Amino acid sequence: MAFGAQELRVLRRALALALHPAPASAEDVQDCLRLAESVDEAAREGARLRAFLLADLSRYRAALPGTAAGYLVLLEEVLATGYRPNPDDLAALRALRGTPAAAALLERCCDLAERDVAARLASRTGTPTVPASRTRLTALRGGLAPLAGPDEPVRKPADRPAADPKPNPPGRGPRPDRPIPTPGEVFPPRRKPVPPPVNPPQQLAAG
């Protein structure tokens, strides 16, 4: 698509109005509308031409190998419009690669096909990344735990090391293994003295 001198003047005026809004004259508005209609009509004409070329390419491909020359010319023409070769085009070019023109087109089409496949795979297998502002949450208490590496097993809660035992207070020595004795065991109660037994009366009389 090419613009003439008059169309370029209108386009430049439209861009100036878009960048620096200002009251536009009725003539400028009419010129912009006519330019927009011309661009739309050119886009529709380009779409119709591309559809015609693709249909013609299919007919030439179906009539191979007798239409090899015309097919190669049409294929090169539609590639310039952004067309991507399909598997039928690649198979036809492989069958015609005995000619230099077909071999060159086959190399070009294979390169385009590989790029398309790589782009689709990259869009499907893209790995989401964590924003930099969220990575510091792993260092805060209650934040997410960092992911384990491929060779590092994920630590379960039961695998965490036990808490260190509470140290003994200073000056009390090591903690005994048996329970601490009660005061009753350390200081047993004193027993009252038992009075001597009284002699029976008959023994006093006998004496």
Coordinates of all heavy atoms in Angstrom, one line a residue, residues 44-100:
R44 N -9.5 -4.3 2.3 CA -10.4 -5.3 1.8 C -10.0 -5.9 0.5 O -10.1 -7.1 0.2 CB -11.8 -4.7 1.7 CG -12.5 -4.4 3.0 CD -14.0 -4.1 2.8 NE -14.1 -2.8 2.2 CZ -14.3 -1.6 2.8 NH1 -14.2 -1.6 4.1 NH2 -14.4 -0.5 2.1
E45 N -9.4 -5.0 -0.3 CA -8.9 -5.5 -1.7 C -7.7 -6.4 -1.5 O -7.6 -7.4 -2.2 CB -8.6 -4.3 -2.5 CG -8.1 -4.6 -3.9 CD -9.2 -5.3 -4.8 OE1 -10.4 -5.1 -4.5 OE2 -8.8 -6.0 -5.7
G46 N -6.9 -6.1 -0.5 CA -5.7 -7.0 -0.2 C -6.2 -8.3 0.3 O -5.6 -9.4 -0.1
A47 N -7.2 -8.4 1.1 CA -7.7 -9.6 1.6 C -8.3 -10.5 0.5 O -8.1 -11.7 0.4 CB -8.7 -9.4 2.7
R48 N -9.0 -9.8 -0.4 CA -9.6 -10.5 -1.5 C -8.5 -11.1 -2.5 O -8.6 -12.2 -2.9 CB -10.6 -9.6 -2.3 CG -11.9 -9.3 -1.6 CD -12.9 -8.7 -2.6 NE -12.4 -7.3 -3.0 CZ -12.8 -6.2 -2.4 NH1 -13.5 -6.2 -1.3 NH2 -12.3 -5.0 -2.8
L49 N -7.5 -10.3 -2.7 CA -6.4 -10.7 -3.5 C -5.7 -11.9 -2.9 O -5.3 -12.9 -3.6 CB -5.4 -9.6 -3.8 CG -4.2 -9.9 -4.7 CD1 -4.6 -10.4 -6.0 CD2 -3.3 -8.7 -4.8
R50 N -5.5 -11.9 -1.6 CA -4.8 -13.0 -0.9 C -5.6 -14.2 -1.0 O -5.1 -15.3 -1.2 CB -4.5 -12.6 0.5 CG -3.6 -13.5 1.3 CD -3.2 -13.0 2.6 NE -2.2 -13.8 3.3 CZ -2.6 -14.8 4.1 NH1 -3.9 -15.0 4.3 NH2 -1.7 -15.5 4.7
A51 N -6.9 -14.1 -0.8 CA -7.8 -15.3 -0.8 C -7.8 -15.9 -2.3 O -7.7 -17.1 -2.4 CB -9.2 -14.9 -0.4
F52 N -7.7 -15.1 -3.3 CA -7.7 -15.6 -4.7 C -6.4 -16.3 -4.9 O -6.3 -17.4 -5.5 CB -7.8 -14.4 -5.6 CG -7.6 -14.8 -7.1 CD1 -8.6 -15.4 -7.8 CD2 -6.4 -14.5 -7.7 CE1 -8.4 -15.8 -9.1 CE2 -6.2 -14.8 -9.0 CZ -7.2 -15.5 -9.7
L53 N -5.2 -15.7 -4.4 CA -3.9 -16.4 -4.6 C -3.9 -17.7 -3.9 O -3.3 -18.7 -4.5 CB -2.8 -15.4 -4.1 CG -2.6 -14.2 -4.9 CD1 -1.5 -13.3 -4.2 CD2 -2.1 -14.5 -6.4
L54 N -4.4 -17.8 -2.7 CA -4.4 -19.1 -2.0 C -5.2 -20.1 -2.7 O -4.8 -21.3 -2.7 CB -4.9 -18.9 -0.5 CG -4.0 -18.0 0.4 CD1 -4.6 -17.9 1.7 CD2 -2.6 -18.6 0.5
A55 N -6.4 -19.7 -3.2 CA -7.2 -20.7 -4.0 C -6.5 -21.1 -5.2 O -6.5 -22.3 -5.6 CB -8.6 -20.1 -4.3
D56 N -5.9 -20.2 -5.9 CA -5.1 -20.6 -7.1 C -3.9 -21.5 -6.8 O -3.6 -22.4 -7.5 CB -4.6 -19.3 -7.8 CG -4.5 -19.4 -9.3 OD1 -5.0 -20.4 -9.8 OD2 -3.9 -18.5 -9.9
L57 N -3.3 -21.2 -5.6 CA -2.1 -22.1 -5.2 C -2.6 -23.5 -4.9 O -1.9 -24.4 -5.3 CB -1.5 -21.5 -3.9 CG -0.3 -22.2 -3.4 CD1 0.9 -22.1 -4.3 CD2 0.1 -21.7 -2.0
S58 N -3.8 -23.6 -4.3 CA -4.3 -25.0 -4.1 C -4.6 -25.7 -5.4 O -4.3 -26.9 -5.5 CB -5.6 -24.9 -3.2 OG -5.3 -24.3 -2.0
R59 N -5.1 -25.0 -6.4 CA -5.4 -25.7 -7.7 C -4.1 -26.1 -8.3 O -4.0 -27.2 -8.9 CB -6.2 -24.7 -8.6 CG -7.6 -24.5 -8.1 CD -8.4 -23.8 -9.2 NE -7.9 -22.4 -9.5 CZ -8.4 -21.4 -8.8 NH1 -9.4 -21.5 -7.9 NH2 -7.9 -20.2 -9.1
Y60 N -3.1 -25.2 -8.3 CA -1.8 -25.6 -8.9 C -1.1 -26.8 -8.2 O -0.5 -27.6 -8.8 CB -0.8 -24.4 -8.9 CG -1.0 -23.5 -10.1 CD1 -2.1 -22.7 -10.3 CD2 -0.1 -23.5 -11.2 CE1 -2.2 -21.9 -11.4 CE2 -0.2 -22.7 -12.3 CZ -1.3 -21.9 -12.4 OH -1.4 -21.1 -13.5
R61 N -1.2 -26.8 -6.8 CA -0.6 -27.8 -6.1 C -1.3 -29.2 -6.3 O -0.7 -30.2 -6.4 CB -0.7 -27.5 -4.6 CG 0.0 -28.5 -3.7 CD 0.0 -28.1 -2.2 NE -1.3 -27.9 -1.7 CZ -1.7 -26.8 -1.1 NH1 -0.9 -25.7 -1.0 NH2 -3.0 -26.6 -0.7
A62 N -2.6 -29.1 -6.5 CA -3.4 -30.4 -6.8 C -3.0 -30.9 -8.2 O -3.2 -32.1 -8.4 CB -4.9 -30.1 -6.7
A63 N -2.6 -30.1 -9.1 CA -2.3 -30.5 -10.5 C -0.8 -30.8 -10.7 O -0.3 -31.0 -11.8 CB -2.7 -29.5 -11.5
L64 N 0.0 -30.9 -9.6 CA 1.4 -31.2 -9.8 C 1.6 -32.6 -10.3 O 0.7 -33.5 -10.0 CB 2.1 -31.0 -8.4 CG 2.3 -29.6 -7.9 CD1 2.9 -29.6 -6.5 CD2 3.3 -28.8 -8.9
P65 N 2.7 -32.9 -10.9 CA 3.9 -32.1 -11.2 C 3.8 -31.3 -12.5 O 4.7 -30.6 -12.8 CB 5.0 -33.1 -11.3 CG 4.3 -34.4 -11.8 CD 2.9 -34.4 -11.3
G66 N 2.7 -31.4 -13.2 CA 2.6 -30.7 -14.5 C 2.6 -29.2 -14.3 O 2.9 -28.5 -15.3
T67 N 2.2 -28.7 -13.2 CA 2.1 -27.2 -13.0 C 3.2 -26.7 -12.0 O 3.0 -25.8 -11.3 CB 0.7 -26.9 -12.4 OG1 0.5 -27.6 -11.2 CG2 -0.4 -27.2 -13.3
A68 N 4.3 -27.4 -12.1 CA 5.4 -27.1 -11.1 C 5.9 -25.6 -11.2 O 6.1 -24.9 -10.2 CB 6.6 -28.0 -11.3
A69 N 6.0 -25.1 -12.5 CA 6.6 -23.8 -12.6 C 5.6 -22.7 -12.1 O 6.0 -21.8 -11.3 CB 6.8 -23.5 -14.1
G70 N 4.3 -22.9 -12.4 CA 3.3 -21.9 -11.9 C 3.2 -22.0 -10.4 O 3.0 -21.0 -9.7
Y71 N 3.3 -23.2 -9.9 CA 3.1 -23.4 -8.5 C 4.2 -22.8 -7.7 O 4.0 -22.1 -6.7 CB 3.1 -24.9 -8.1 CG 3.2 -25.2 -6.7 CD1 2.1 -25.0 -5.8 CD2 4.3 -25.8 -6.1 CE1 2.2 -25.3 -4.5 CE2 4.4 -26.0 -4.8 CZ 3.3 -25.8 -3.9 OH 3.4 -26.1 -2.6
L72 N 5.4 -22.9 -8.1 CA 6.6 -22.3 -7.4 C 6.4 -20.7 -7.5 O 6.8 -20.1 -6.5 CB 7.9 -22.7 -8.1 CG 8.2 -24.2 -8.0 CD1 9.5 -24.5 -8.7 CD2 8.3 -24.6 -6.5
V73 N 6.0 -20.2 -8.6 CA 5.8 -18.7 -8.7 C 4.7 -18.3 -7.7 O 4.9 -17.3 -7.0 CB 5.5 -18.3 -10.1 CG1 5.2 -16.8 -10.2 CG2 6.7 -18.6 -11.0
L74 N 3.6 -19.0 -7.7 CA 2.5 -18.6 -6.8 C 2.9 -18.7 -5.3 O 2.6 -17.9 -4.5 CB 1.3 -19.4 -7.1 CG 0.5 -19.0 -8.3 CD1 -0.6 -20.0 -8.6 CD2 -0.1 -17.6 -8.1
L75 N 3.6 -19.8 -5.0 CA 4.0 -20.0 -3.6 C 5.0 -18.9 -3.1 O 4.8 -18.4 -2.0 CB 4.7 -21.3 -3.5 CG 5.2 -21.7 -2.1 CD1 4.1 -21.7 -1.1 CD2 5.9 -23.1 -2.1
E76 N 5.9 -18.5 -4.0 CA 6.8 -17.4 -3.6 C 6.0 -16.1 -3.4 O 6.3 -15.3 -2.6 CB 7.9 -17.2 -4.6 CG 9.0 -16.3 -4.2 CD 10.2 -16.4 -5.1 OE1 10.1 -17.1 -6.2 OE2 11.2 -15.7 -4.9
E77 N 5.0 -15.9 -4.2 CA 4.2 -14.7 -4.1 C 3.4 -14.6 -2.9 O 3.3 -13.6 -2.2 CB 3.3 -14.6 -5.4 CG 2.5 -13.2 -5.5 CD 1.8 -13.1 -6.8 OE1 1.9 -14.0 -7.7 OE2 1.0 -12.1 -6.9
V78 N 2.8 -15.7 -2.5 CA 1.9 -15.7 -1.3 C 2.8 -15.7 0.0 O 2.4 -15.2 1.0 CB 1.0 -16.9 -1.2 CG1 0.0 -16.8 -2.4 CG2 1.7 -18.2 -1.3
L79 N 4.0 -16.2 -0.1 CA 4.9 -16.1 1.1 C 5.3 -14.7 1.4 O 5.5 -14.3 2.6 CB 6.2 -16.9 0.8 CG 6.1 -18.4 0.8 CD1 7.5 -19.0 0.5 CD2 5.7 -18.9 2.2
A80 N 5.3 -13.8 0.4 CA 5.6 -12.4 0.6 C 4.4 -11.7 1.3 O 4.6 -10.6 1.9 CB 5.9 -11.7 -0.7
T81 N 3.2 -12.3 1.3 CA 2.1 -11.7 2.0 C 1.9 -12.2 3.4 O 0.9 -11.8 4.0 CB 0.8 -12.0 1.2 OG1 0.5 -13.4 1.2 CG2 0.9 -11.5 -0.3
G82 N 2.9 -13.0 3.9 CA 2.8 -13.5 5.2 C 2.2 -14.9 5.3 O 1.9 -15.4 6.4
Y83 N 2.0 -15.6 4.2 CA 1.5 -16.9 4.2 C 2.5 -17.9 4.8 O 3.7 -17.7 4.6 CB 1.1 -17.3 2.8 CG 0.8 -18.8 2.6 CD1 -0.5 -19.3 3.0 CD2 1.6 -19.7 2.0 CE1 -0.8 -20.6 2.9 CE2 1.3 -21.0 1.9 CZ 0.1 -21.5 2.3 OH -0.3 -22.8 2.1
R84 N 2.1 -18.9 5.6 CA 2.9 -19.9 6.2 C 2.6 -21.2 5.5 O 1.5 -21.6 5.4 CB 2.7 -20.0 7.7 CG 3.3 -18.8 8.5 CD 4.8 -18.7 8.3 NE 5.4 -17.6 9.0 CZ 5.7 -16.5 8.5 NH1 5.3 -16.2 7.2 NH2 6.2 -15.5 9.2
P85 N 3.7 -21.9 5.0 CA 3.4 -23.2 4.2 C 2.8 -24.2 5.1 O 3.2 -24.3 6.3 CB 4.8 -23.6 3.7 CG 5.8 -22.9 4.7 CD 5.1 -21.6 5.1
N86 N 1.9 -25.0 4.6 CA 1.3 -26.1 5.3 C 2.0 -27.4 5.0 O 2.9 -27.5 4.1 CB -0.2 -26.2 5.0 CG -0.5 -26.3 3.6 OD1 0.3 -26.9 2.8 ND2 -1.6 -25.8 3.1
P87 N 1.7 -28.6 5.6 CA 2.3 -29.8 5.3 C 2.2 -30.2 3.8 O 3.1 -30.9 3.2 CB 1.6 -30.8 6.2 CG 1.2 -30.0 7.4 CD 0.8 -28.7 6.8
D88 N 1.1 -29.8 3.1 CA 1.0 -30.2 1.7 C 2.0 -29.4 0.9 O 2.6 -30.0 -0.1 CB -0.4 -29.8 1.2 CG -1.5 -30.7 1.9 OD1 -1.1 -31.8 2.3 OD2 -2.6 -30.3 2.0
D89 N 2.3 -28.2 1.2 CA 3.3 -27.4 0.5 C 4.7 -28.0 0.7 O 5.5 -28.2 -0.3 CB 3.3 -26.0 1.0 CG 2.0 -25.2 0.6 OD1 1.6 -25.4 -0.5 OD2 1.5 -24.5 1.4
L90 N 5.0 -28.4 1.9 CA 6.3 -29.0 2.2 C 6.5 -30.4 1.4 O 7.5 -30.7 0.9 CB 6.5 -29.3 3.7 CG 6.5 -28.0 4.6 CD1 6.6 -28.4 6.0 CD2 7.6 -27.1 4.1
A91 N 5.4 -31.2 1.4 CA 5.5 -32.4 0.7 C 5.7 -32.2 -0.8 O 6.4 -32.9 -1.5 CB 4.2 -33.3 0.9
A92 N 5.0 -31.2 -1.4 CA 5.1 -30.9 -2.8 C 6.5 -30.4 -3.1 O 7.1 -30.8 -4.2 CB 4.1 -29.9 -3.2
L93 N 7.1 -29.6 -2.3 CA 8.4 -29.1 -2.5 C 9.5 -30.2 -2.4 O 10.5 -30.2 -3.1 CB 8.7 -27.9 -1.5 CG 8.0 -26.6 -1.7 CD1 8.2 -25.7 -0.6 CD2 8.3 -26.0 -3.1
R94 N 9.2 -31.1 -1.5 CA 10.2 -32.2 -1.4 C 10.2 -33.1 -2.7 O 11.2 -33.6 -3.1 CB 9.9 -33.1 -0.2 CG 10.2 -32.4 1.2 CD 10.1 -33.4 2.3 NE 10.4 -32.7 3.6 CZ 9.4 -32.2 4.4 NH1 8.1 -32.3 4.1 NH2 9.8 -31.6 5.5
A95 N 9.0 -33.2 -3.3 CA 8.9 -34.0 -4.5 C 9.5 -33.2 -5.7 O 9.9 -33.9 -6.7 CB 7.4 -34.3 -4.8
L96 N 9.6 -31.9 -5.6 CA 10.1 -31.1 -6.7 C 11.5 -30.6 -6.4 O 12.0 -29.7 -7.2 CB 9.2 -29.9 -7.0 CG 7.8 -30.2 -7.4 CD1 7.0 -28.9 -7.4 CD2 7.7 -30.9 -8.7
R97 N 12.2 -31.0 -5.3 CA 13.5 -30.4 -4.9 C 14.6 -30.8 -5.9 O 15.7 -30.3 -5.7 CB 13.8 -30.9 -3.6 CG 14.0 -32.4 -3.4 CD 14.3 -32.8 -2.0 NE 14.2 -34.2 -1.7 CZ 14.3 -34.8 -0.5 NH1 14.4 -34.0 0.5 NH2 14.3 -36.1 -0.4
G98 N 14.3 -31.5 -7.0 CA 15.3 -31.7 -8.0 C 15.7 -30.4 -8.7 O 16.8 -30.4 -9.3
T99 N 14.8 -29.5 -8.7 CA 15.1 -28.2 -9.4 C 15.6 -27.2 -8.4 O 15.2 -27.2 -7.2 CB 13.8 -27.6 -10.0 OG1 12.8 -27.4 -9.0 CG2 13.2 -28.6 -11.0
P100 N 16.5 -26.3 -8.8 CA 17.1 -25.3 -7.9 C 16.1 -24.4 -7.2 O 16.2 -24.1 -6.0 CB 18.1 -24.6 -8.7 CG 18.4 -25.4 -9.9 CD 17.2 -26.2 -10.2

